[in-house]
Amino acid sequence: GENVEQHPSTLSVQEGDSAVIKCTYSDSASNYFPWYKQELGKGPQLIIDIRSNVGEKKDQRIAVTLNKTAKHFSLHITETQPEDSAVYFCAAYNNAGNMLTFGGGTRLMVKP
Amino acid sequence: KAGVTQTPRYLIKTRGQQVTLSCSPISGHRSVSWYQQTPGQGLQFLFEYFSETQRNKGNFPGRFSGRQFSNSRSEMNVSTLELGDSALYLCASTLPSNTEAFFGQGTRLTVV
């Protein structure tokens, strides 16, 4: 089955700096890669996603890149703000399984 | 537009008891998936339902079961509760022709 690894597990940055979170996946059949943000006491919130036919996608301060050959994808957050502090999860979706496989999560702390 | 609604938000049960959790998907969403979230194991897939049929099941014992009703609402049941079943149980719904999964706030189950 699919295996998704996520690094780093914790990330501390200064407000205004950039943050990068990286994930690798194992199943070449995976074709959809969402990123979720989870705040304390809440469910994961979809913040951005990318499909396997696209290399990069941006949405304001957030961008995601995908390298299908290397089977890795990354989340980039620019001009970080304290409200970006949360746990971020990457995931990979496989049509055959109709399921998301999640990475272990990254706790991002943005210091004011 | 209402989001995914999970009830109850919190539950405390005793070992050996059984529990039923409920999930109402976003209107128009027909696929419902369940995930277990624990600090040690992260987010793990339990099962996925579409049009009242279970399409996929994760690697959990038979004590974990679910069902989906004709209005797409779903329930999951855990029988003979164990301490290790303490977790946040998350439900996600998706449109039939889409892979974007939207999560509810979860049900926090504590087994004592």
Side-chain angles (χ1 to χ4, degrees):
Chain A
E2 175 67 277
N3 181 49
V4 178
E5 295 196 0
Q6 183 172 345
H7 299 281
S9 56
T10 59
L11 179 58
S12 182
V13 299
Q14 207 65 40
E15 181 178 0
D17 287 351
S18 295
V20 180
I21 302 170
K22 298 183 178 183
C23 290
T24 60
Y25 62 99
S26 61
D27 189 346
S28 57
S30 290
N31 55 11
Y32 171 68
F33 307 91
W35 286 87
Y36 288 87
K37 174 184 180 182
Q38 187 174 27
E39 296 173 313
L40 201 60
K42 296 185 177 181
Q45 177 192 2
L46 179 66
I47 56 171
I48 195 167
D49 55 20
I50 191 166
R51 300 187 185 274
S52 57
N53 58 349
V54 175
E56 183 175 1
K57 183 177 178 180
K58 287 185 76 170
D59 182 4
Q60 298 181 34
R61 296 186 296 109
I62 295 174
V64 58
T65 59
L66 170 65
N67 183 325
K68 278 197 306 182
T69 304
K71 293 192 199 140
H72 66 69
F73 56 114
S74 301
L75 177 71
H76 304 252
I77 306 174
T78 59
E79 300 171 28
T80 53
Q81 300 166 4
E83 51 266 38
D84 293 330
S85 297
V87 179
Y88 290 81
F89 291 95
C90 64
Y93 178 86
N94 185 306
N95 276 345
N98 295 304
M99 58 179 279
L100 288 169
T101 302
F102 284 87
T106 296
R107 181 172 300 279
L108 174 64
M109 293 169 284
V110 181
K111 297 184 232 178
Chain B
K1 189 174 180 180
V4 178
T5 304
Q6 291 189 245
T7 56
R9 288 292 312 277
Y10 303 93
L11 265 178
I12 300 176
K13 290 286 188 178
T14 305
R15 271 180 302 176
Q17 287 186 312
Q18 75 163 18
V19 67
T20 299
L21 313 181
S22 179
C23 171
S24 292
I26 295 171
S27 177
H29 287 201
R30 290 167 55 195
S31 170
V32 173
S33 300
W34 289 88
Y35 293 82
Q36 181 196 63
Q37 185 175 26
T38 59
Q41 299 297 319
L43 277 152
Q44 291 189 292
F45 173 76
L46 280 156
F47 25 65
E48 187 254 356
Y49 287 88
F50 178 78
S51 292
E52 303 178 65
T53 300
Q54 185 183 90
R55 294 199 295 188
N56 197 12
K57 182 171 165 53
N59 190 24
F60 279 82
R63 300 184 297 108
F64 291 81
S65 63
R67 59 178 175 168
Q68 186 180 34
F69 302 95
S70 58
N71 62 356
S72 295
R73 191 178 71 85
S74 178
E75 291 181 345
M76 68 163 281
N77 184 279
V78 188
S79 62
T80 321
L81 283 166
E82 301 177 358
L83 295 178
D85 297 334
S86 295
L88 180 67
Y89 289 87
L90 292 159
C91 165
S93 74
T94 60
L95 283 166
S97 58
N98 205 324
T99 48
E100 293 180 358
F102 297 91
F103 282 84
Q105 300 234 61
T107 294
R108 172 76 61 188
L109 171 65
T110 302
V111 182
V112 297

